[in-house]
Amino acid sequence: MALKELIFASHNAGKIKEIREMIEPLGIELKTYKDIDIPDVEETGTTFAENSLLKSSKIAEITGIACIADDSGLCVDALNGAPGVYSARYAPDRDFDKGMEKLLAEIAKSRNPDRSAHFSCVISLAYPDGKYELFEGRINGKIAEQKQGTGGFGYDPIFIPEGYDKSFAELGNEIKNKISHRGRAMQKLSQYLRNL
Ligand code: IMP
């Protein structure tokens, strides 16, 4: 059952570019909010899988076209997994400089010396008939003492992936995309689509 077209439910230009580069060589046309009238779906779930699936399944149902969506975030052990699914909302005014300061302050306040953390991403692919597949990616690491580097986005400057001594913001996109939570989930999605 080869797919001819897929909707990607994201407004994020960086993610759209990444997904397009992976999907189009497979002969699948990628449609986004720019090409088709699709609603914004609120992320009311409490897990990455739930939020991801809320978006993809609603849009697949409305449009009759298979849809992929993702949800991701940063989970800090010393904060019992926070900010997790609330990672975007955790940053005051959606300003991630403020968000990182807030996170560093909360870790200091917790007096827990454990700086372990991980990024998680769940990509869901939902079909109009209600069937779906989930692709998960995770990268373990630790929270830096302070911001390091200016590349990337979100919490990249304070996240040091396991096996490296530089933050995601210092490593650059090529390395980050190979090892990141989203990169790993995308590799699984890509393998699934190749085998259809
Ligand atoms: P969403 O998956 O687009 O809802 O993103 C959730 C939030 O998690 C983003 O706004 C970022 O704050 C954070 N996040 C997710 N992935 C990354 C990443 O690769 N680097 C830094 N922050 C990220």
Side-chain angles (χ1 to χ4, degrees), residues 10 12 15 43 48 51 55 70-74 84-89 91 94 96 119-121 139 152-157 159 168 176 180-182:
S10 173
N12 181 316
K15 288 186 193 174
E43 298 183 1
F48 297 114
N51 277 339
K55 288 183 269 187
D70 79 333
D71 195 39
S72 57
L74 176 63
V85 290
Y86 306 104
S87 292
R89 286 162 271 181
R94 301 262 165 149
F96 288 98
F119 272 114
S120 272
C121 174
I139 172 90
F153 72 98
Y155 300 93
D156 279 347
F159 183 78
F168 263 172
K176 183 188 165 188
S180 79
H181 49 309
R182 192 169 304 97

PDB file of all heavy atoms in Angstrom, residues 10 12 15 43 48 51 55 70-74 84-89 91 94 96 119-121 139 152-157 159 168 176 180-182, ligand 1:
ATOM      1  N   SER A  10       2.542  20.694  10.906  1.00  0.00           N
ATOM      2  CA  SER A  10       3.465  21.529  11.673  1.00  0.00           C
ATOM      3  C   SER A  10       3.611  22.877  10.985  1.00  0.00           C
ATOM      4  O   SER A  10       3.566  22.963   9.757  1.00  0.00           O
ATOM      5  CB  SER A  10       4.834  20.854  11.761  1.00  0.00           C
ATOM      6  OG  SER A  10       5.767  21.718  12.360  1.00  0.00           O
ATOM      7  N   ASN A  12       6.322  24.634  11.838  1.00  0.00           N
ATOM      8  CA  ASN A  12       7.747  24.881  12.045  1.00  0.00           C
ATOM      9  C   ASN A  12       8.526  24.652  10.737  1.00  0.00           C
ATOM     10  O   ASN A  12       8.639  23.527  10.254  1.00  0.00           O
ATOM     11  CB  ASN A  12       8.219  23.921  13.156  1.00  0.00           C
ATOM     12  CG  ASN A  12       9.682  24.100  13.487  1.00  0.00           C
ATOM     13  OD1 ASN A  12      10.512  24.227  12.610  1.00  0.00           O
ATOM     14  ND2 ASN A  12       9.985  24.091  14.776  1.00  0.00           N
ATOM     15  N   LYS A  15      11.339  22.001  10.761  1.00  0.00           N
ATOM     16  CA  LYS A  15      10.863  20.611  10.765  1.00  0.00           C
ATOM     17  C   LYS A  15      10.312  20.238   9.389  1.00  0.00           C
ATOM     18  O   LYS A  15      10.520  19.127   8.911  1.00  0.00           O
ATOM     19  CB  LYS A  15       9.746  20.433  11.798  1.00  0.00           C
ATOM     20  CG  LYS A  15      10.207  20.461  13.241  1.00  0.00           C
ATOM     21  CD  LYS A  15       9.014  20.111  14.112  1.00  0.00           C
ATOM     22  CE  LYS A  15       9.259  20.411  15.563  1.00  0.00           C
ATOM     23  NZ  LYS A  15       8.043  20.204  16.364  1.00  0.00           N
ATOM     24  N   GLU A  43      -2.968  20.831  21.934  1.00  0.00           N
ATOM     25  CA  GLU A  43      -2.228  19.725  22.556  1.00  0.00           C
ATOM     26  C   GLU A  43      -2.682  19.585  24.001  1.00  0.00           C
ATOM     27  O   GLU A  43      -2.083  20.124  24.911  1.00  0.00           O
ATOM     28  CB  GLU A  43      -0.716  20.010  22.489  1.00  0.00           C
ATOM     29  CG  GLU A  43      -0.201  20.113  21.074  1.00  0.00           C
ATOM     30  CD  GLU A  43       1.301  20.331  20.982  1.00  0.00           C
ATOM     31  OE1 GLU A  43       1.980  20.389  22.035  1.00  0.00           O
ATOM     32  OE2 GLU A  43       1.784  20.457  19.851  1.00  0.00           O
ATOM     33  N   PHE A  48       3.750  12.616  25.093  1.00  0.00           N
ATOM     34  CA  PHE A  48       4.133  13.023  23.733  1.00  0.00           C
ATOM     35  C   PHE A  48       3.305  12.256  22.703  1.00  0.00           C
ATOM     36  O   PHE A  48       2.860  12.823  21.713  1.00  0.00           O
ATOM     37  CB  PHE A  48       5.629  12.761  23.508  1.00  0.00           C
ATOM     38  CG  PHE A  48       6.511  13.560  24.421  1.00  0.00           C
ATOM     39  CD1 PHE A  48       7.299  12.942  25.379  1.00  0.00           C
ATOM     40  CD2 PHE A  48       6.552  14.948  24.320  1.00  0.00           C
ATOM     41  CE1 PHE A  48       8.110  13.693  26.220  1.00  0.00           C
ATOM     42  CE2 PHE A  48       7.357  15.706  25.156  1.00  0.00           C
ATOM     43  CZ  PHE A  48       8.138  15.068  26.117  1.00  0.00           C
ATOM     44  N   ASN A  51      -0.322  13.685  22.459  1.00  0.00           N
ATOM     45  CA  ASN A  51      -0.390  14.979  21.767  1.00  0.00           C
ATOM     46  C   ASN A  51      -0.137  14.826  20.272  1.00  0.00           C
ATOM     47  O   ASN A  51      -0.806  15.448  19.443  1.00  0.00           O
ATOM     48  CB  ASN A  51       0.633  15.952  22.350  1.00  0.00           C
ATOM     49  CG  ASN A  51       0.105  16.635  23.598  1.00  0.00           C
ATOM     50  OD1 ASN A  51      -1.102  16.693  23.814  1.00  0.00           O
ATOM     51  ND2 ASN A  51       1.003  17.134  24.422  1.00  0.00           N
ATOM     52  N   LYS A  55      -3.141  15.395  17.047  1.00  0.00           N
ATOM     53  CA  LYS A  55      -3.018  16.223  15.840  1.00  0.00           C
ATOM     54  C   LYS A  55      -3.187  15.381  14.578  1.00  0.00           C
ATOM     55  O   LYS A  55      -4.017  15.689  13.723  1.00  0.00           O
ATOM     56  CB  LYS A  55      -1.634  16.900  15.801  1.00  0.00           C
ATOM     57  CG  LYS A  55      -1.452  18.010  16.809  1.00  0.00           C
ATOM     58  CD  LYS A  55      -0.100  18.692  16.693  1.00  0.00           C
ATOM     59  CE  LYS A  55       0.953  18.057  17.566  1.00  0.00           C
ATOM     60  NZ  LYS A  55       2.236  18.747  17.627  1.00  0.00           N
ATOM     61  N   ASP A  70       4.253  15.555  15.029  1.00  0.00           N
ATOM     62  CA  ASP A  70       5.206  15.167  16.060  1.00  0.00           C
ATOM     63  C   ASP A  70       4.969  15.958  17.332  1.00  0.00           C
ATOM     64  O   ASP A  70       4.331  17.008  17.318  1.00  0.00           O
ATOM     65  CB  ASP A  70       6.663  15.326  15.578  1.00  0.00           C
ATOM     66  CG  ASP A  70       7.145  16.762  15.624  1.00  0.00           C
ATOM     67  OD1 ASP A  70       6.298  17.670  15.525  1.00  0.00           O
ATOM     68  OD2 ASP A  70       8.352  16.977  15.759  1.00  0.00           O
ATOM     69  N   ASP A  71       5.437  15.413  18.430  1.00  0.00           N
ATOM     70  CA  ASP A  71       5.471  16.178  19.669  1.00  0.00           C
ATOM     71  C   ASP A  71       6.762  15.821  20.378  1.00  0.00           C
ATOM     72  O   ASP A  71       7.220  14.676  20.322  1.00  0.00           O
ATOM     73  CB  ASP A  71       4.262  15.871  20.560  1.00  0.00           C
ATOM     74  CG  ASP A  71       4.120  16.920  21.657  1.00  0.00           C
ATOM     75  OD1 ASP A  71       4.353  18.115  21.372  1.00  0.00           O
ATOM     76  OD2 ASP A  71       3.806  16.565  22.804  1.00  0.00           O
ATOM     77  N   SER A  72       7.361  16.808  21.005  1.00  0.00           N
ATOM     78  CA  SER A  72       8.674  16.559  21.605  1.00  0.00           C
ATOM     79  C   SER A  72       8.885  17.474  22.793  1.00  0.00           C
ATOM     80  O   SER A  72       8.138  18.425  23.007  1.00  0.00           O
ATOM     81  CB  SER A  72       9.763  16.814  20.556  1.00  0.00           C
ATOM     82  OG  SER A  72       9.672  18.133  20.060  1.00  0.00           O
ATOM     83  N   GLY A  73       9.918  17.191  23.561  1.00  0.00           N
ATOM     84  CA  GLY A  73      10.217  18.045  24.697  1.00  0.00           C
ATOM     85  C   GLY A  73      11.390  17.536  25.493  1.00  0.00           C
ATOM     86  O   GLY A  73      11.945  16.471  25.206  1.00  0.00           O
ATOM     87  N   LEU A  74      11.760  18.338  26.485  1.00  0.00           N
ATOM     88  CA  LEU A  74      12.919  18.061  27.325  1.00  0.00           C
ATOM     89  C   LEU A  74      12.452  17.605  28.708  1.00  0.00           C
ATOM     90  O   LEU A  74      11.613  18.270  29.331  1.00  0.00           O
ATOM     91  CB  LEU A  74      13.746  19.354  27.459  1.00  0.00           C
ATOM     92  CG  LEU A  74      14.964  19.320  28.373  1.00  0.00           C
ATOM     93  CD1 LEU A  74      16.006  18.315  27.861  1.00  0.00           C
ATOM     94  CD2 LEU A  74      15.593  20.718  28.461  1.00  0.00           C
ATOM     95  N   GLY A  84       8.955  18.453  30.123  1.00  0.00           N
ATOM     96  CA  GLY A  84       8.242  17.405  29.389  1.00  0.00           C
ATOM     97  C   GLY A  84       7.316  17.922  28.299  1.00  0.00           C
ATOM     98  O   GLY A  84       7.744  18.727  27.470  1.00  0.00           O
ATOM     99  N   VAL A  85       6.053  17.466  28.335  1.00  0.00           N
ATOM    100  CA  VAL A  85       5.121  17.878  27.274  1.00  0.00           C
ATOM    101  C   VAL A  85       4.807  19.382  27.335  1.00  0.00           C
ATOM    102  O   VAL A  85       4.225  19.936  26.414  1.00  0.00           O
ATOM    103  CB  VAL A  85       3.763  17.098  27.295  1.00  0.00           C
ATOM    104  CG1 VAL A  85       3.958  15.662  26.891  1.00  0.00           C
ATOM    105  CG2 VAL A  85       3.083  17.210  28.634  1.00  0.00           C
ATOM    106  N   TYR A  86       5.217  20.015  28.428  1.00  0.00           N
ATOM    107  CA  TYR A  86       4.959  21.459  28.559  1.00  0.00           C
ATOM    108  C   TYR A  86       6.172  22.295  28.159  1.00  0.00           C
ATOM    109  O   TYR A  86       6.247  23.479  28.474  1.00  0.00           O
ATOM    110  CB  TYR A  86       4.524  21.796  30.002  1.00  0.00           C
ATOM    111  CG  TYR A  86       3.354  20.949  30.436  1.00  0.00           C
ATOM    112  CD1 TYR A  86       3.519  19.877  31.314  1.00  0.00           C
ATOM    113  CD2 TYR A  86       2.089  21.190  29.917  1.00  0.00           C
ATOM    114  CE1 TYR A  86       2.448  19.065  31.670  1.00  0.00           C
ATOM    115  CE2 TYR A  86       1.007  20.392  30.272  1.00  0.00           C
ATOM    116  CZ  TYR A  86       1.199  19.331  31.145  1.00  0.00           C
ATOM    117  OH  TYR A  86       0.125  18.532  31.474  1.00  0.00           O
ATOM    118  N   SER A  87       7.148  21.698  27.474  1.00  0.00           N
ATOM    119  CA  SER A  87       8.413  22.386  27.181  1.00  0.00           C
ATOM    120  C   SER A  87       8.232  23.731  26.481  1.00  0.00           C
ATOM    121  O   SER A  87       8.923  24.703  26.799  1.00  0.00           O
ATOM    122  CB  SER A  87       9.320  21.496  26.329  1.00  0.00           C
ATOM    123  OG  SER A  87       9.755  20.386  27.089  1.00  0.00           O
ATOM    124  N   ALA A  88       7.316  23.798  25.519  1.00  0.00           N
ATOM    125  CA  ALA A  88       7.126  25.059  24.797  1.00  0.00           C
ATOM    126  C   ALA A  88       6.489  26.093  25.726  1.00  0.00           C
ATOM    127  O   ALA A  88       6.923  27.246  25.793  1.00  0.00           O
ATOM    128  CB  ALA A  88       6.255  24.838  23.568  1.00  0.00           C
ATOM    129  N   ARG A  89       5.474  25.648  26.497  1.00  0.00           N
ATOM    130  CA  ARG A  89       4.719  26.576  27.362  1.00  0.00           C
ATOM    131  C   ARG A  89       5.516  26.991  28.605  1.00  0.00           C
ATOM    132  O   ARG A  89       5.217  27.998  29.224  1.00  0.00           O
ATOM    133  CB  ARG A  89       3.407  25.923  27.814  1.00  0.00           C
ATOM    134  CG  ARG A  89       2.363  25.845  26.728  1.00  0.00           C
ATOM    135  CD  ARG A  89       1.279  24.847  27.023  1.00  0.00           C
ATOM    136  NE  ARG A  89       1.602  23.519  26.532  1.00  0.00           N
ATOM    137  CZ  ARG A  89       0.812  22.461  26.651  1.00  0.00           C
ATOM    138  NH1 ARG A  89      -0.343  22.568  27.267  1.00  0.00           N
ATOM    139  NH2 ARG A  89       1.182  21.290  26.164  1.00  0.00           N
ATOM    140  N   ALA A  91       8.523  28.086  28.825  1.00  0.00           N
ATOM    141  CA  ALA A  91       9.344  29.288  28.613  1.00  0.00           C
ATOM    142  C   ALA A  91       8.462  30.529  28.706  1.00  0.00           C
ATOM    143  O   ALA A  91       7.525  30.671  27.922  1.00  0.00           O
ATOM    144  CB  ALA A  91      10.006  29.207  27.246  1.00  0.00           C
ATOM    145  N   ARG A  94       7.225  32.406  25.702  1.00  0.00           N
ATOM    146  CA  ARG A  94       7.827  31.550  24.649  1.00  0.00           C
ATOM    147  C   ARG A  94       9.236  32.024  24.297  1.00  0.00           C
ATOM    148  O   ARG A  94       9.714  31.855  23.180  1.00  0.00           O
ATOM    149  CB  ARG A  94       6.973  31.533  23.374  1.00  0.00           C
ATOM    150  CG  ARG A  94       5.571  31.035  23.615  1.00  0.00           C
ATOM    151  CD  ARG A  94       5.458  29.578  23.243  1.00  0.00           C
ATOM    152  NE  ARG A  94       4.226  29.031  23.807  1.00  0.00           N
ATOM    153  CZ  ARG A  94       3.517  28.067  23.289  1.00  0.00           C
ATOM    154  NH1 ARG A  94       3.889  27.501  22.190  1.00  0.00           N
ATOM    155  NH2 ARG A  94       2.441  27.606  23.878  1.00  0.00           N
ATOM    156  N   PHE A  96      12.950  31.386  24.870  1.00  0.00           N
ATOM    157  CA  PHE A  96      13.719  30.254  25.395  1.00  0.00           C
ATOM    158  C   PHE A  96      14.953  30.671  26.184  1.00  0.00           C
ATOM    159  O   PHE A  96      15.468  29.885  26.971  1.00  0.00           O
ATOM    160  CB  PHE A  96      14.030  29.242  24.282  1.00  0.00           C
ATOM    161  CG  PHE A  96      12.783  28.506  23.905  1.00  0.00           C
ATOM    162  CD1 PHE A  96      12.037  28.887  22.804  1.00  0.00           C
ATOM    163  CD2 PHE A  96      12.300  27.486  24.714  1.00  0.00           C
ATOM    164  CE1 PHE A  96      10.848  28.246  22.506  1.00  0.00           C
ATOM    165  CE2 PHE A  96      11.107  26.841  24.428  1.00  0.00           C
ATOM    166  CZ  PHE A  96      10.382  27.225  23.313  1.00  0.00           C
ATOM    167  N   PHE A 119      15.833  14.308  25.767  1.00  0.00           N
ATOM    168  CA  PHE A 119      14.821  14.816  24.852  1.00  0.00           C
ATOM    169  C   PHE A 119      14.057  13.617  24.313  1.00  0.00           C
ATOM    170  O   PHE A 119      14.654  12.578  24.002  1.00  0.00           O
ATOM    171  CB  PHE A 119      15.467  15.510  23.644  1.00  0.00           C
ATOM    172  CG  PHE A 119      15.756  16.966  23.828  1.00  0.00           C
ATOM    173  CD1 PHE A 119      17.064  17.432  23.848  1.00  0.00           C
ATOM    174  CD2 PHE A 119      14.734  17.893  23.937  1.00  0.00           C
ATOM    175  CE1 PHE A 119      17.346  18.783  23.985  1.00  0.00           C
ATOM    176  CE2 PHE A 119      15.002  19.246  24.071  1.00  0.00           C
ATOM    177  CZ  PHE A 119      16.311  19.693  24.098  1.00  0.00           C
ATOM    178  N   SER A 120      12.739  13.745  24.192  1.00  0.00           N
ATOM    179  CA  SER A 120      11.915  12.715  23.578  1.00  0.00           C
ATOM    180  C   SER A 120      11.131  13.302  22.418  1.00  0.00           C
ATOM    181  O   SER A 120      10.755  14.480  22.447  1.00  0.00           O
ATOM    182  CB  SER A 120      10.890  12.177  24.581  1.00  0.00           C
ATOM    183  OG  SER A 120      11.436  11.130  25.315  1.00  0.00           O
ATOM    184  N   CYS A 121      10.880  12.452  21.454  1.00  0.00           N
ATOM    185  CA  CYS A 121      10.046  12.859  20.322  1.00  0.00           C
ATOM    186  C   CYS A 121       9.189  11.673  19.904  1.00  0.00           C
ATOM    187  O   CYS A 121       9.684  10.545  19.844  1.00  0.00           O
ATOM    188  CB  CYS A 121      10.939  13.269  19.147  1.00  0.00           C
ATOM    189  SG  CYS A 121      10.020  13.618  17.633  1.00  0.00           S
ATOM    190  N   ILE A 139      17.056  10.930  23.170  1.00  0.00           N
ATOM    191  CA  ILE A 139      18.499  11.114  23.343  1.00  0.00           C
ATOM    192  C   ILE A 139      18.754  11.486  24.800  1.00  0.00           C
ATOM    193  O   ILE A 139      18.168  12.434  25.321  1.00  0.00           O
ATOM    194  CB  ILE A 139      19.070  12.184  22.368  1.00  0.00           C
ATOM    195  CG1 ILE A 139      20.526  12.530  22.678  1.00  0.00           C
ATOM    196  CG2 ILE A 139      18.267  13.465  22.361  1.00  0.00           C
ATOM    197  CD1 ILE A 139      21.531  11.709  21.993  1.00  0.00           C
ATOM    198  N   GLY A 152      21.089  26.081  16.780  1.00  0.00           N
ATOM    199  CA  GLY A 152      19.893  25.297  17.137  1.00  0.00           C
ATOM    200  C   GLY A 152      18.730  26.159  17.570  1.00  0.00           C
ATOM    201  O   GLY A 152      18.620  27.319  17.199  1.00  0.00           O
ATOM    202  N   PHE A 153      17.862  25.594  18.387  1.00  0.00           N
ATOM    203  CA  PHE A 153      16.683  26.323  18.852  1.00  0.00           C
ATOM    204  C   PHE A 153      16.298  25.792  20.234  1.00  0.00           C
ATOM    205  O   PHE A 153      16.896  24.838  20.740  1.00  0.00           O
ATOM    206  CB  PHE A 153      15.512  26.174  17.856  1.00  0.00           C
ATOM    207  CG  PHE A 153      14.899  24.796  17.859  1.00  0.00           C
ATOM    208  CD1 PHE A 153      13.738  24.510  18.584  1.00  0.00           C
ATOM    209  CD2 PHE A 153      15.488  23.773  17.135  1.00  0.00           C
ATOM    210  CE1 PHE A 153      13.171  23.240  18.578  1.00  0.00           C
ATOM    211  CE2 PHE A 153      14.932  22.492  17.127  1.00  0.00           C
ATOM    212  CZ  PHE A 153      13.779  22.226  17.850  1.00  0.00           C
ATOM    213  N   GLY A 154      15.272  26.408  20.813  1.00  0.00           N
ATOM    214  CA  GLY A 154      14.737  25.924  22.092  1.00  0.00           C
ATOM    215  C   GLY A 154      15.822  25.784  23.158  1.00  0.00           C
ATOM    216  O   GLY A 154      16.617  26.704  23.402  1.00  0.00           O
ATOM    217  N   TYR A 155      15.864  24.599  23.765  1.00  0.00           N
ATOM    218  CA  TYR A 155      16.775  24.361  24.890  1.00  0.00           C
ATOM    219  C   TYR A 155      18.150  23.841  24.457  1.00  0.00           C
ATOM    220  O   TYR A 155      18.920  23.367  25.292  1.00  0.00           O
ATOM    221  CB  TYR A 155      16.123  23.365  25.857  1.00  0.00           C
ATOM    222  CG  TYR A 155      14.810  23.869  26.428  1.00  0.00           C
ATOM    223  CD1 TYR A 155      13.597  23.550  25.829  1.00  0.00           C
ATOM    224  CD2 TYR A 155      14.786  24.698  27.549  1.00  0.00           C
ATOM    225  CE1 TYR A 155      12.398  24.026  26.327  1.00  0.00           C
ATOM    226  CE2 TYR A 155      13.590  25.175  28.055  1.00  0.00           C
ATOM    227  CZ  TYR A 155      12.396  24.837  27.438  1.00  0.00           C
ATOM    228  OH  TYR A 155      11.211  25.324  27.938  1.00  0.00           O
ATOM    229  N   ASP A 156      18.463  23.906  23.163  1.00  0.00           N
ATOM    230  CA  ASP A 156      19.735  23.362  22.659  1.00  0.00           C
ATOM    231  C   ASP A 156      20.981  23.841  23.423  1.00  0.00           C
ATOM    232  O   ASP A 156      21.882  23.037  23.676  1.00  0.00           O
ATOM    233  CB  ASP A 156      19.906  23.677  21.168  1.00  0.00           C
ATOM    234  CG  ASP A 156      19.130  22.709  20.288  1.00  0.00           C
ATOM    235  OD1 ASP A 156      18.670  21.665  20.794  1.00  0.00           O
ATOM    236  OD2 ASP A 156      18.980  22.987  19.086  1.00  0.00           O
ATOM    237  N   PRO A 157      21.079  25.133  23.789  1.00  0.00           N
ATOM    238  CA  PRO A 157      22.320  25.587  24.442  1.00  0.00           C
ATOM    239  C   PRO A 157      22.591  24.972  25.822  1.00  0.00           C
ATOM    240  O   PRO A 157      23.715  25.047  26.315  1.00  0.00           O
ATOM    241  CB  PRO A 157      22.119  27.112  24.567  1.00  0.00           C
ATOM    242  CG  PRO A 157      21.141  27.451  23.484  1.00  0.00           C
ATOM    243  CD  PRO A 157      20.198  26.284  23.428  1.00  0.00           C
ATOM    244  N   PHE A 159      21.677  21.660  26.624  1.00  0.00           N
ATOM    245  CA  PHE A 159      21.606  20.198  26.597  1.00  0.00           C
ATOM    246  C   PHE A 159      22.871  19.599  25.990  1.00  0.00           C
ATOM    247  O   PHE A 159      23.221  19.869  24.837  1.00  0.00           O
ATOM    248  CB  PHE A 159      20.398  19.722  25.787  1.00  0.00           C
ATOM    249  CG  PHE A 159      20.242  18.222  25.800  1.00  0.00           C
ATOM    250  CD1 PHE A 159      19.698  17.574  26.904  1.00  0.00           C
ATOM    251  CD2 PHE A 159      20.661  17.445  24.721  1.00  0.00           C
ATOM    252  CE1 PHE A 159      19.574  16.183  26.925  1.00  0.00           C
ATOM    253  CE2 PHE A 159      20.542  16.061  24.734  1.00  0.00           C
ATOM    254  CZ  PHE A 159      19.995  15.429  25.841  1.00  0.00           C
ATOM    255  N   PHE A 168      24.010  20.787  22.211  1.00  0.00           N
ATOM    256  CA  PHE A 168      23.379  20.689  20.892  1.00  0.00           C
ATOM    257  C   PHE A 168      23.620  21.981  20.093  1.00  0.00           C
ATOM    258  O   PHE A 168      23.792  21.938  18.877  1.00  0.00           O
ATOM    259  CB  PHE A 168      21.866  20.478  21.046  1.00  0.00           C
ATOM    260  CG  PHE A 168      21.422  19.032  20.949  1.00  0.00           C
ATOM    261  CD1 PHE A 168      20.098  18.697  21.246  1.00  0.00           C
ATOM    262  CD2 PHE A 168      22.283  18.030  20.531  1.00  0.00           C
ATOM    263  CE1 PHE A 168      19.654  17.381  21.125  1.00  0.00           C
ATOM    264  CE2 PHE A 168      21.840  16.708  20.415  1.00  0.00           C
ATOM    265  CZ  PHE A 168      20.533  16.386  20.711  1.00  0.00           C
ATOM    266  N   LYS A 176      23.657  17.016  15.146  1.00  0.00           N
ATOM    267  CA  LYS A 176      22.432  16.955  15.955  1.00  0.00           C
ATOM    268  C   LYS A 176      21.359  16.110  15.263  1.00  0.00           C
ATOM    269  O   LYS A 176      20.748  15.239  15.897  1.00  0.00           O
ATOM    270  CB  LYS A 176      21.898  18.371  16.231  1.00  0.00           C
ATOM    271  CG  LYS A 176      20.669  18.337  17.123  1.00  0.00           C
ATOM    272  CD  LYS A 176      19.964  19.652  17.296  1.00  0.00           C
ATOM    273  CE  LYS A 176      18.587  19.396  17.871  1.00  0.00           C
ATOM    274  NZ  LYS A 176      17.727  20.568  17.920  1.00  0.00           N
ATOM    275  N   SER A 180      19.751  13.134  17.324  1.00  0.00           N
ATOM    276  CA  SER A 180      18.701  13.725  18.168  1.00  0.00           C
ATOM    277  C   SER A 180      17.466  12.825  18.255  1.00  0.00           C
ATOM    278  O   SER A 180      17.254  11.928  17.440  1.00  0.00           O
ATOM    279  CB  SER A 180      18.276  15.090  17.622  1.00  0.00           C
ATOM    280  OG  SER A 180      17.408  14.929  16.526  1.00  0.00           O
ATOM    281  N   HIS A 181      16.646  13.097  19.257  1.00  0.00           N
ATOM    282  CA  HIS A 181      15.351  12.447  19.441  1.00  0.00           C
ATOM    283  C   HIS A 181      14.531  12.491  18.150  1.00  0.00           C
ATOM    284  O   HIS A 181      14.010  11.491  17.700  1.00  0.00           O
ATOM    285  CB  HIS A 181      14.619  13.130  20.598  1.00  0.00           C
ATOM    286  CG  HIS A 181      14.598  14.636  20.509  1.00  0.00           C
ATOM    287  ND1 HIS A 181      15.736  15.386  20.311  1.00  0.00           N
ATOM    288  CD2 HIS A 181      13.579  15.538  20.546  1.00  0.00           C
ATOM    289  CE1 HIS A 181      15.415  16.663  20.240  1.00  0.00           C
ATOM    290  NE2 HIS A 181      14.118  16.779  20.382  1.00  0.00           N
ATOM    291  N   ARG A 182      14.444  13.685  17.519  1.00  0.00           N
ATOM    292  CA  ARG A 182      13.641  13.814  16.302  1.00  0.00           C
ATOM    293  C   ARG A 182      14.287  13.061  15.143  1.00  0.00           C
ATOM    294  O   ARG A 182      13.619  12.386  14.367  1.00  0.00           O
ATOM    295  CB  ARG A 182      13.443  15.293  15.944  1.00  0.00           C
ATOM    296  CG  ARG A 182      12.380  15.529  14.870  1.00  0.00           C
ATOM    297  CD  ARG A 182      12.011  16.988  14.710  1.00  0.00           C
ATOM    298  NE  ARG A 182      11.578  17.562  15.962  1.00  0.00           N
ATOM    299  CZ  ARG A 182      12.357  18.271  16.773  1.00  0.00           C
ATOM    300  NH1 ARG A 182      13.587  18.556  16.426  1.00  0.00           N
ATOM    301  NH2 ARG A 182      11.896  18.714  17.913  1.00  0.00           N
TER     302      ARG A 182
HETATM  303  P1  IMP B   1       6.961  20.795  19.797  1.00  0.00           P
HETATM  304  O1  IMP B   1       7.282  19.345  19.595  1.00  0.00           O
HETATM  305  O2  IMP B   1       7.121  21.583  18.532  1.00  0.00           O
HETATM  306  O3  IMP B   1       5.669  21.012  20.512  1.00  0.00           O
HETATM  307  O4  IMP B   1       8.123  21.370  20.713  1.00  0.00           O
HETATM  308  C1  IMP B   1       8.124  21.310  22.078  1.00  0.00           C
HETATM  309  C2  IMP B   1       9.203  22.165  22.680  1.00  0.00           C
HETATM  310  O5  IMP B   1      10.252  21.268  23.128  1.00  0.00           O
HETATM  311  C3  IMP B   1       9.895  23.138  21.747  1.00  0.00           C
HETATM  312  O6  IMP B   1       9.269  24.377  21.740  1.00  0.00           O
HETATM  313  C4  IMP B   1      11.266  23.243  22.395  1.00  0.00           C
HETATM  314  O7  IMP B   1      11.189  24.107  23.455  1.00  0.00           O
HETATM  315  C5  IMP B   1      11.505  21.867  22.973  1.00  0.00           C
HETATM  316  N1  IMP B   1      12.300  21.077  22.040  1.00  0.00           N
HETATM  317  C6  IMP B   1      11.876  20.028  21.298  1.00  0.00           C
HETATM  318  N2  IMP B   1      12.876  19.554  20.541  1.00  0.00           N
HETATM  319  C7  IMP B   1      13.950  20.330  20.814  1.00  0.00           C
HETATM  320  C8  IMP B   1      15.287  20.335  20.318  1.00  0.00           C
HETATM  321  O8  IMP B   1      15.704  19.536  19.457  1.00  0.00           O
HETATM  322  N3  IMP B   1      16.101  21.269  20.843  1.00  0.00           N
HETATM  323  C9  IMP B   1      15.698  22.159  21.774  1.00  0.00           C
HETATM  324  N4  IMP B   1      14.470  22.227  22.247  1.00  0.00           N
HETATM  325  C10 IMP B   1      13.588  21.305  21.766  1.00  0.00           C
END
